[in-house]
Amino acid sequence: MDKHGIKDIIILGGGTAGWMTANLMAKRWGNGQVNITLVESPDIGIIGVGEGSTPKLKDFFDTLGIEESEWMPECNATYKNGITFKDWSTIPGFDEYFHPFGCTIDVLTFKLFKANVVLRRKGIDVYAHPNRFFLMASLSDKKLAPIAHENFPFQFDYAYHFDSVLVGKFLQKRAMANGVKHIEGTVKDVQLHENGDIASITLADNQSLSADFFVDCTGFASVLLQRTLKVAFRSFSENLFNDAAVAMPTPITANIPSQTISTALANGWVWEIPLTNRFGHGYVYSSSHCSADEAETELRTRLGLLDSDVEARHIGMRVGRVDKCWVKNCVSIGLSQGFIEPLEATALQFVHTTIEEFMGAFEFGGFSNEHQDSFNQRINLNFEGIRDYIVLHYKTNSRNDSEYWRENRENTHISSNLQSMLDCWYEVHSLEEELQRLKIGNYYTTISWNCLLAGMGLFAPQDQLTAPDDRVMQADLDYVDDFVARCTMNFDAHEKVLARYQK
Ligand SMILES: Cc1cc2nc3c(=O)[nH]c(=O)nc-3n(C[C@H](O)[C@H](O)[C@H](O)COP(=O)(O)OP(=O)(O)OC[C@H]3O[C@@H](n4cnc5c(N)ncnc54)[C@H](O)[C@@H]3O)c2cc1C
């Protein structure tokens, strides 16, 4: 680090993004190489939502060497095998499907699933719903944790649900134990050097703090990158209509589920996320299609809370990304760099990816434009790759109960990559080859694309399918069922696994 002349780094913002950054930077650049200070406003607070994750969060805790038994009970965390999408499709037999995280054993069953999917795309009446083919769908169905017995030697990608406020507190403790300094104060002014770099920040109590490098983790406010350095924000509102959410909890039930459920409602969708002490629910909707009051009433009705005094939290969302997230001596991480709505719970994955990519690029090239530019480009492509997969959920819906769903389906503002993937599906070309050609297979894999497109039932209508004759090589479903059932026997009840961590 010294070779780049960096001695002091200020991370502005103490939400999950700020404390994740503090921990990863302290691990890689601590040991006296740099002084890391995290400054956060006690008055503004954190967004305090974000309870679902992707397997990248497991990588994060693994990188820091933090055991599940250490952090999960402190954060009321549970395991997540994937997401069930309910009521996004009205096609008979496809009213719900499961989007699994991967496991090495899928190699076997995915081949069989894909073979049937291709046949059905060609108009042959074979079974092509994803759930039956994936072990993690079976684990979710039976409320099992994705922790295999020792004699079942396969790799699993799984994720977690957690209380985001408690995760922040846990990470704060950890970062401070590893030398990160913590200052409370609200930034009221930012001073620049002549070359436009940030020189210092001034807090409300007039304390001035200078540093060589600044990390903007101030959430949607983006105090440094957008407000001070005037970096432009590109809205995704033409692609993704949702811009608000209303959230409220209900008590947890026995046999805690090990999946997120995302159910489509009249003007958006609602998450159901199980923690050890409660369910979190949040209706993510488009404020152009329904008011906050209407959304809250719809959610309360669904949860049986119409006459209850359980408080509802209303949250605005700014969906899009900044033009460049590293500019001058400032990188923005978390909601300050952009946000794609929470349908696939990808925000903390962005946080981790951005920090890792930034530290790599920075160590390699310091302030050289070459590495800054390629870093910014990679992060932007990441945003767009993930955005397109999220848009696909809306574009392929078949609901007719509101203008919201019809407009989503008819929306022509989709990227050329997404259009190519849809053309590829309907023209029955290889999805793998198209993902490779477009270089987008690292955002969502062919398993994800097949699960979504098949799970939504995007095949010819049932009465136009032809019965398979003897020459059709279709998957042996009895074999698949037996194989998945035998694999499932290697896992324990979710609740039993969580109980092991309780002190
Ligand atoms: C409805 C909704 C649902 C979501 N669901 C998920 C999910 O399931 N999974 C997921 O991964 N993500 C989810 N997210 C995103 C997730 O909440 C965020 O990515 C995560 O919480 C990180 O937020 P942050 O740290 O960037 O911002 P924040 O939590 O908003 O933190 C901002 C920090 O900056 C500080 N600050 C701001 N201004 C100043 C100032 N002037 N001076 C000093 N300090 C300042 C604040 O005090 C605070 O500490 C969701 C988001 C929304 C809106």
Side-chain angles (χ1 to χ4, degrees):
M1 290 302 295
D2 255 1
K3 72 177 175 188
H4 305 311
I6 297 293
K7 289 208 165 54
D8 296 294
I9 295 179
I10 286 179
I11 299 168
L12 184 60
T16 323
W19 288 113
M20 282 177 77
T21 307
N23 274 280
L24 289 171
M25 285 190 170
K27 172 145 179 98
R28 192 141 149 185
W29 292 344
N31 301 325
Q33 286 188 71
V34 274
N35 305 310
I36 301 168
T37 304
L38 186 144
V39 180
E40 67 171 317
S41 164
D43 305 321
I44 296 171
I46 64 169
I47 194 156
V49 281
E51 304 178 328
S53 58
T54 69
K56 189 79 183 156
L57 194 65
K58 180 172 184 321
D59 279 3
F60 170 78
F61 284 109
D62 287 350
T63 303
L64 296 177
I66 300 173
E67 300 284 336
E68 290 176 345
S69 55
E70 195 184 340
W71 77 270
M72 286 184 72
E74 272 202 44
C75 303
N76 298 334
T78 63
Y79 287 103
K80 173 177 173 185
N81 291 303
I83 307 176
T84 284
F85 290 89
K86 274 192 183 164
D87 298 337
W88 288 71
S89 168
T90 57
I91 296 170
F94 295 92
D95 54 335
E96 68 174 66
Y97 75 93
F98 183 74
H99 179 199
F101 296 128
C103 60
T104 44
I105 214 156
D106 290 343
V107 175
L108 301 170
T109 48
F110 176 58
K111 255 192 215 157
L112 302 172
F113 169 54
K114 200 174 61 176
N116 272 22
V117 167
V118 170
L119 289 169
R120 199 163 172 124
R121 284 163 71 199
K122 288 180 176 164
I124 300 172
D125 188 6
V126 295
Y127 184 88
H129 190 285
N131 289 23
R132 208 160 158 179
F133 292 88
F134 291 95
L135 173 57
M136 294 186 97
S138 168
L139 301 187
S140 290
D141 188 46
K142 297 181 172 51
K143 299 183 177 171
L144 306 180
I147 308 296
H149 298 162
E150 259 177 43
N151 56 357
F152 192 70
F154 296 93
Q155 294 287 317
F156 288 85
D157 284 339
Y158 60 81
Y160 312 99
H161 308 109
F162 48 84
D163 181 319
S164 64
V165 174
L166 297 180
V167 166
K169 287 188 175 147
F170 178 90
L171 292 177
Q172 170 175 357
K173 237 182 359 191
R174 181 92 188 187
M176 290 173 70
N178 286 315
V180 174
K181 196 173 154 194
H182 181 216
I183 295 178
E184 286 197 324
T186 304
V187 169
K188 65 165 191 186
D189 203 6
V190 181
Q191 293 74 41
L192 300 181
H193 289 298
E194 260 179 24
N195 67 359
D197 277 2
I198 298 174
S200 56
I201 52 179
T202 307
L203 306 184
D205 63 3
N206 289 327
Q207 189 181 172
S208 172
L209 301 167
S210 55
D212 307 304
F213 201 89
F214 292 80
V215 187
D216 184 351
C217 294
T218 55
F220 287 130
S222 189
V223 172
L224 299 179
L225 196 87
Q226 293 180 55
R227 224 190 269 170
T228 305
L229 297 177
K230 310 286 181 216
V231 173
F233 182 82
R234 290 186 188 217
S235 168
F236 289 163
S237 60
E238 283 191 333
N239 316 95
L240 291 166
F241 301 161
N242 296 342
D243 58 358
V246 50
M248 60 185 87
T250 59
I252 194 68
T253 49
N255 293 325
I256 300 175
S258 48
Q259 62 170 329
T260 299
I261 297 180
S262 150
T263 308
L265 298 185
N267 292 294
W269 60 276
V270 60
W271 75 71
E272 180 189 287
I273 289 186
L275 307 189
T276 54
N277 62 332
R278 65 167 165 85
F279 277 108
H281 308 268
Y283 184 5
V284 180
Y285 64 95
S286 153
S287 66
S288 314
H289 294 80
C290 92
S291 70
D293 278 351
E294 285 166 338
E296 181 174 333
T297 303
E298 195 180 348
L299 182 60
R300 282 190 183 277
T301 307
R302 176 184 169 76
L303 300 176
L305 294 176
L306 253 188
D307 299 321
S308 150
D309 55 7
V310 171
E311 204 184 322
R313 269 201 69 200
H314 287 268
I315 307 143
M317 304 190 311
R318 199 162 171 237
V319 175
R321 64 160 175 85
V322 290
D323 243 357
K324 296 174 176 186
C325 73
W326 176 9
V327 168
K328 303 281 180 188
N329 62 341
C330 176
V331 65
S332 73
I333 292 175
L335 296 174
S336 60
Q337 73 178 121
F339 180 54
I340 299 177
E341 64 141 282
L343 188 58
E344 291 277 356
T346 46
L348 296 184
Q349 172 177 326
F350 275 110
V351 168
H352 187 185
T353 305
T354 309
I355 305 166
E356 271 184 339
E357 292 267 354
F358 168 71
M359 290 196 295
F362 194 79
E363 282 170 4
F364 207 57
F367 287 112
S368 89
N369 283 341
E370 187 193 334
H371 296 295
Q372 205 169 2
D373 288 349
S374 61
F375 161 82
N376 283 326
Q377 202 183 358
R378 279 198 303 282
I379 299 299
N380 290 348
L381 289 174
N382 193 14
F383 259 95
E384 271 147 40
I386 290 180
R387 177 203 60 195
D388 285 350
Y389 186 76
I390 305 293
V391 172
L392 184 65
H393 297 73
Y394 293 96
K395 183 74 189 155
T396 55
N397 92 83
S398 44
R399 289 176 68 109
N400 269 314
D401 56 326
S402 67
E403 269 312 301
Y404 171 87
W405 289 106
R406 280 188 287 274
E407 281 175 30
N408 265 299
R409 184 164 60 248
E410 285 156 18
N411 188 7
T412 50
H413 293 286
I414 63 171
S415 73
S416 58
N417 280 354
L418 181 51
Q419 189 58 56
S420 300
M421 288 302 293
L422 283 166
D423 293 345
C424 172
W425 171 265
Y426 287 114
E427 289 161 13
V428 200
H429 298 310
S430 158
L431 290 181
E432 279 91 339
E433 282 172 20
E434 194 60 0
L435 287 171
Q436 263 178 23
R437 187 183 74 79
L438 298 169
K439 301 192 177 70
I440 56 171
N442 51 335
Y443 307 123
Y444 279 96
T445 63
T446 174
I447 293 185
S448 292
W449 285 86
N450 272 285
C451 282
L452 197 164
L453 291 160
M456 296 288 273
L458 299 187
F459 303 107
Q462 184 69 43
D463 59 5
Q464 290 174 22
L465 297 176
T466 54
D469 62 27
D470 290 348
R471 287 164 302 166
V472 168
M473 297 283 289
Q474 58 173 309
D476 175 348
L477 294 174
D478 289 339
Y479 166 80
V480 172
D481 289 345
D482 181 57
F483 177 78
V484 171
R486 278 187 294 111
C487 290
T488 303
M489 289 163 72
N490 292 283
F491 295 83
D492 290 325
H494 190 199
E495 236 165 53
K496 184 174 163 191
V497 175
L498 294 174
R500 287 183 205 144
Y501 303 151
Q502 295 303 325
K503 300 225 164 74

